[in-house]
Amino acid sequence: MSLLRQPILLLARSQGVKKLVSTMPVSSGIVTSYVPGETTADAVGATAGLVDDGLRVTLDYLGEDTTDAAQADATVAAYKDVLAELSRRGLAAHAEVSVKLSAIGQFLPDTVEPGGGHKIALENAREICRAARNAGTTVTLDMEDHTTTDSTLSILRELRKDFPETGAVLQAMLHRTEADCRALAYEGSRVRLCKGAYMEPEDVAFQDKVEIDKSYVRCLKVLLGGQGYPMIATHDPRMIQIASSLASRFGRRPGTYEFQMLYGIRPEEQKRLAAAGETVRVYIPYGTEWYGYLMRRLAEKPQNLAFFLRSLVSKK
Ligand code: FAD
């Protein structure tokens, strides 16, 4: 991991920094390079463009860590709205949604409902899964920091009883992930493997980039050698190459797994892989709550920081 990654993620937690950064209008160049807009129309417009290019999409209505039940309800409503619009525009076969459980109640206090946020997040996720199924598409549960992993995987297990098509995300940087991959590599199980975007302590996570990459490859072997549907989420050329050779070594045909990348990152590579016959899905975040997402992207690519600081100062 880059030397600057942890300090940027730490700084991002400051409310002062959040306030300053959030005053930037979404039109500011650095935000729009990662987020196509704030509304359902912006999200569906970007989806249509990518689908025209032969790509698939997963849409993330931005928001996380909410402690406000009304905010969680508004997020569920936003997902229902975008799913209805995808269906109306005939895009649901090509586009699904990604959901952060902390945006739909996982952190709500026990005072809101006995059993706490876990229960509320499960019910809200169920409502989104139902809307997705009615629209003809699926949901993937994003994975947040390691304190949420057990709760998220337990909600996944509950959801899969009624909606077995629900996808999971596992993060190669966590020590536990290879075992989690084994547990989830069963038939029909959609699993997105990423490196992990959060600042994690060394007792639970690899800190060194080389160690994270090695873990990513071990997890790829488990998932591609298993019975499930692996979703290989990385922009790293080496990981993409290794995944391709493992896929052929395990006799996987394109369409029995997919590559995934983030909106705005390596768009030419996204199109190149799709043109070569691979299934490629682009993760599109949209909405006004872009702060946490943007800070994680800046932490991954500190070269962007100078550009970002300039746009902060000029408040474009
Ligand atoms: P890296 O080694 O970080 O990057 C490899 C190369 O990719 C870089 O050299 C650069 O060329 C390019 N690149 C990477 N990041 C950037 C950037 N920000 N700007 C410009 N170029 C860049 N993480 C989670 O913790 N939970 C999730 O649920 C989750 N979902 C994801 C879904 C998708 C579809 C993707 C693609 C990623 C997701 N992530 C998630 C983020 C992931 O964990 C990584 O933080 C992120 O993808 C960067 O890792 P990398 O594999 O691309 O490799």
Side-chain angles (χ1 to χ4, degrees):
M1 291 280 115
S2 127
L3 279 179
L4 278 171
R5 183 170 178 268
Q6 301 261 5
I8 295 173
L9 290 174
L10 200 60
L11 198 66
R13 290 180 180 173
S14 144
Q15 282 307 311
V17 172
K18 178 170 182 182
K19 202 164 157 219
L20 178 67
V21 172
S22 301
T23 55
M24 293 165 70
V26 77
S27 58
S28 166
I30 190 74
V31 180
T32 48
S33 67
Y34 290 121
V35 178
E38 300 190 345
T39 65
T40 297
D42 294 333
V44 174
T47 301
L50 291 169
V51 168
D52 275 348
D53 286 340
L55 299 161
R56 303 203 185 176
V57 167
T58 185
L59 284 159
D60 164 39
Y61 180 69
L62 289 162
E64 55 199 274
D65 300 347
T66 188
T67 48
D68 173 8
Q71 176 66 35
D73 290 345
T75 299
V76 175
Y79 274 108
K80 287 161 98 172
D81 187 48
V82 82
L83 285 161
E85 193 57 15
L86 288 175
S87 168
R88 199 184 66 76
R89 298 267 306 260
L91 291 166
H94 304 282
E96 61 140 29
V97 293
S98 283
V99 176
K100 281 188 177 48
L101 291 177
S102 82
I104 57 169
Q106 198 173 26
F107 292 164
L108 289 180
D110 285 8
T111 45
V112 177
E113 187 186 307
H118 179 92
K119 218 162 133 192
I120 297 171
L122 171 59
E123 287 321 308
N124 281 337
R126 216 190 280 285
E127 208 174 319
I128 298 172
C129 286
R130 205 171 294 122
R133 185 177 283 175
N134 288 340
T137 188
T138 52
V139 175
T140 294
L141 299 183
D142 279 355
M143 190 59 86
E144 301 176 67
D145 75 59
H146 80 278
T147 61
T148 66
T149 311
D150 283 328
S151 158
T152 299
L153 291 180
S154 120
I155 288 177
L156 175 83
R157 277 192 297 278
E158 282 303 308
L159 289 173
R160 281 189 173 181
K161 290 179 186 163
D162 295 323
F163 304 97
E165 65 275 24
T166 307
V169 178
L170 296 174
Q171 299 150 317
M173 74 183 301
L174 298 186
H175 299 150
R176 61 177 286 167
T177 293
E178 195 181 339
D180 287 333
C181 285
R182 286 188 205 287
L184 286 178
Y186 56 83
E187 197 175 338
S189 171
R190 298 168 59 245
V191 179
R192 174 193 301 158
L193 180 67
C194 63
K195 291 190 185 179
Y198 294 82
M199 187 172 78
E200 302 287 14
E202 35 187 337
D203 56 326
V204 300
F206 301 110
Q207 308 290 316
D208 180 41
K209 179 175 165 39
V210 175
E211 289 305 317
I212 296 171
D213 287 357
K214 281 189 191 161
S215 167
Y216 197 95
V217 173
R218 288 194 299 275
C219 293
L220 276 177
K221 286 183 181 158
V222 175
L223 294 175
L224 285 164
Q227 303 301 309
Y229 181 82
M231 304 186 280
I232 302 154
T234 182
H235 314 93
D236 185 337
R238 261 188 75 231
M239 295 303 121
I240 293 170
Q241 199 186 12
I242 292 171
S244 297
S245 2
L246 286 172
S248 43
R249 194 206 292 176
F250 288 116
R252 290 242 177 201
R253 290 182 316 283
T256 63
Y257 63 92
E258 67 183 43
F259 287 103
Q260 296 192 340
M261 295 190 207
L262 301 177
Y263 177 85
I265 303 185
R266 304 198 68 205
E268 292 312 317
E269 176 66 1
Q270 296 169 11
K271 283 190 241 170
R272 187 194 70 78
L273 283 167
E278 299 286 2
T279 303
V280 182
R281 192 178 298 275
V282 180
Y283 182 108
I284 303 185
Y286 70 100
T288 53
E289 295 292 314
W290 42 260
Y291 176 76
Y293 181 86
L294 176 71
M295 295 313 269
R296 288 192 291 278
R297 299 294 81 77
L298 288 177
E300 280 154 13
K301 191 83 175 168
Q303 295 95 310
N304 286 337
L305 206 59
F307 178 69
F308 170 68
L309 290 173
R310 269 202 306 278
S311 59
L312 250 192
V313 172
S314 64
K315 294 259 177 71
K316 281 193 286 185

